[in-house]
């Protein structure tokens, strides 16, 4: 049976459809909408407009998914978008009533672990660190011998950092200092991070893919290359702070949906690079959705996922 997943994130909501065969899982359709649910949160409460936005997007995606799969083959899961709000039970209830789909709200460590499972075919090293910078949280996995050893979810992401620290598209020096202090504090709270060093950082998720696209465009990197040199991340941050209008035209063409949040996302990425002494960042096409599909929907131990061409 083919399957459709709706990933209810704090920044974007995504629909992914997969053709599921006995020994092969192939992505056949992908669509996303930047709903910005974190922007509807006030004092920790997801406002009614945000809940209705989630319902509207889910129902639209349900209609789209019905062209590919039976209704019973559609699943919805949520990350920090619902996990971090005070009215989670109320939001889940309303979404279930209005969409007839009950969101599976993942806790932070579960999200990190499923992301690692989804990217496991891509990650070539036996030992290392994996990062996923979302809209309202950042997940980190320390893995050894290809097994997750430590998992943590930090309550910072590209969207809530942008909303909390940046007044306009381009952060000021003062805003950067405050944002970086916030990020540094969160990283300092990771109990197992001290002294951990790896040459390569494995990355998944939309922020990392956007950073890769931007690096390709601004530094004329080969399109098929999936690795960013660590020093290029610092260069990207400096370029974005330069306030050159022609540069932002290029950025908008490369990653239009990430224009408002890329500065914060790159700031988190740079902190991870510095915290773990990384020299390169390798970006995976597969991640949380593929891990969720494999582990929680199909309950398979082996998989082969081909990412959607329009990712």
């Amino acid at each position: 049976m083919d399957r459709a997943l709706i990933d209810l994130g704090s920044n974007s909501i995504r629909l992914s459809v997969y053709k599921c065969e006995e020994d092969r899982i192939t992505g056949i359709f992908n669509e996303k909408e930047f709903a910005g649910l974190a922007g509807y949160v006030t004092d920790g409460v997801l406002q009614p407009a945000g809940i209705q936005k989630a319902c509207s997007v889910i129902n639209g995606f349900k209609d789209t998914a019905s062209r590919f799969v039976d209704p019973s083959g559609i699943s919805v899961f949520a990350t920090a978008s619902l996990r971090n709000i005070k009215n989670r039970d109320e939001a889940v209830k309303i979404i279930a009533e209005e969409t007839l789909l009950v969101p599976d709200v993942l806790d932070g460590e579960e999200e990190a672990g499923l992301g690692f499972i989804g990217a496991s075919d891509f990650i070539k090293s036996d030992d290392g660190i994996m990062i996923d910078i979302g809209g309202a949280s950042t997940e980190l996995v320390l893995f050894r011998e290809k097994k997750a050893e430590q998992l943590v979810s930090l309550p910072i992401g590209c969207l809530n950092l942008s909303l909390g620290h940046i007044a306009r598209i381009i952060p000021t020096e003062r805003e950067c200092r405050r944002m970086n202090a916030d990020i540094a504090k969160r990283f300092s709270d990771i109990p197992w991070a001290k002294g951990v060093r790896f040459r390569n950082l494995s990355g998944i998720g939309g922020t990392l893919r956007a950073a890769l696209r931007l690096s390709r465009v601004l530094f004329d990197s080969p399109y098929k290359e999936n690795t960013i040199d660590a020093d290029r991340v610092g260069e990207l941050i400096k370029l974005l702070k330069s306030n050159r209008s022609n540069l932002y035209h290029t950025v908008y063409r490369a990653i239009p949906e990430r224009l408002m949040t890329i500065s914060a996302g790159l700031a988190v990425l740079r902190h991870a690079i510095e915290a773990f002494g990384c020299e390169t960042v390798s970006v995976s096409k597969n991640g949380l959705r593929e891990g969720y599909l494999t582990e929680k929907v199909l309950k398979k131990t082996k998989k082969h996922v081909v990412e959607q061409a329009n990712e």
Side-chain angles (χ1 to χ4, degrees), residues 32-309:
K32 62 186 173 185
E33 181 165 337
F34 283 84
L37 294 185
Y40 292 92
V41 176
T42 304
D43 295 328
V45 174
L46 181 60
Q47 298 302 305
I51 297 174
Q52 290 305 313
K53 178 68 173 180
C55 291
S56 175
V57 176
I58 291 171
N59 278 325
F61 280 168
K62 271 184 63 181
D63 290 343
T64 301
S66 67
R67 306 203 308 259
F68 300 92
V69 303
D70 293 333
S72 61
I74 304 173
S75 302
V76 179
F77 68 87
T79 52
S81 58
L82 300 186
R83 176 175 71 235
N84 291 348
I85 61 173
K86 296 177 180 177
N87 58 331
R88 178 176 65 178
D89 292 345
E90 175 191 5
V92 169
K93 180 181 178 182
I94 294 172
I95 292 170
E97 289 174 347
E98 298 202 12
T99 69
L100 302 181
L101 292 171
V102 181
D104 179 9
V105 183
L106 306 179
D107 66 39
E109 290 191 2
E110 185 177 23
E111 180 181 353
L114 290 172
F116 178 70
I117 290 170
S120 59
D121 284 349
F122 164 81
I123 297 173
K124 303 304 181 185
S125 57
D126 292 345
D127 306 326
I129 297 286
M130 188 201 77
I131 188 170
D132 181 4
I133 305 169
S137 69
T138 293
E139 282 65 50
L140 291 157
V141 178
L142 168 64
F143 59 93
R144 298 190 189 278
E145 297 181 358
K146 296 188 179 297
K147 294 182 180 180
E149 186 174 280
Q150 301 284 354
L151 306 97
V152 68
S153 179
L154 306 178
I156 50 171
C158 61
L159 183 55
N160 63 5
L161 283 170
S162 296
L163 293 172
H165 294 285
I166 303 174
R168 300 172 184 263
I169 294 176
I170 304 167
T172 65
E173 287 296 333
R174 185 179 182 184
E175 289 171 340
C176 286
R177 285 196 299 270
R178 289 181 174 180
M179 180 170 64
N180 286 326
D182 189 2
I183 298 169
K185 172 62 171 63
R186 300 298 182 179
F187 271 80
S188 70
D189 290 338
I190 303 174
W192 46 262
K194 188 175 181 179
V196 173
R197 293 290 183 272
F198 293 101
R199 291 187 62 184
N200 183 67
L201 178 67
S202 299
I204 66 172
T207 298
L208 271 295
R209 289 192 293 270
L212 178 63
R213 289 201 299 273
L214 198 55
S215 176
R216 286 170 173 167
V217 171
L218 294 181
F219 301 125
D220 198 25
S221 303
Y223 179 76
K224 292 184 179 180
E225 180 62 57
N226 68 346
T227 299
I228 311 171
D229 288 340
D231 57 1
R232 286 284 170 87
V233 175
E235 291 177 35
L236 285 173
I237 292 172
K238 289 180 181 178
L239 283 171
L240 292 175
K241 288 168 62 178
S242 68
N243 198 14
R244 288 162 37 197
S245 60
N246 60 329
L247 171 70
Y248 270 83
H249 291 155
T250 302
V251 174
Y252 183 73
R253 288 194 296 270
I255 50 170
E257 72 282 2
R258 299 277 173 178
L259 186 63
M260 301 294 293
T261 61
I262 190 62
S263 291
L266 288 172
V268 177
L269 180 58
R270 182 173 63 179
H271 274 267
I273 288 169
E274 293 175 352
F276 302 112
C278 303
E279 299 175 9
T280 56
V281 181
S282 298
V283 183
S284 170
K285 292 182 178 180
N286 297 334
L288 176 58
R289 289 185 296 282
E290 289 71 36
Y292 187 92
L293 175 67
T294 303
E295 185 80 1
K296 301 201 71 173
V297 176
L298 301 176
K299 296 179 171 55
K300 287 178 174 287
T301 57
K302 293 183 65 176
K303 70 182 190 308
H304 180 57
V305 177
V306 177
E307 188 68 14
Q308 293 85 342

Side-chain angles (χ1 to χ4, degrees), residues 6-9 12-15 31-33 35 37 54 57 61:
I6 299 174
D7 176 355
L8 194 63
S12 63
I13 302 176
R14 294 172 177 264
L15 167 67
E31 187 175 350
K32 62 186 173 185
E33 181 165 337
L37 294 185
V57 176
F61 280 168

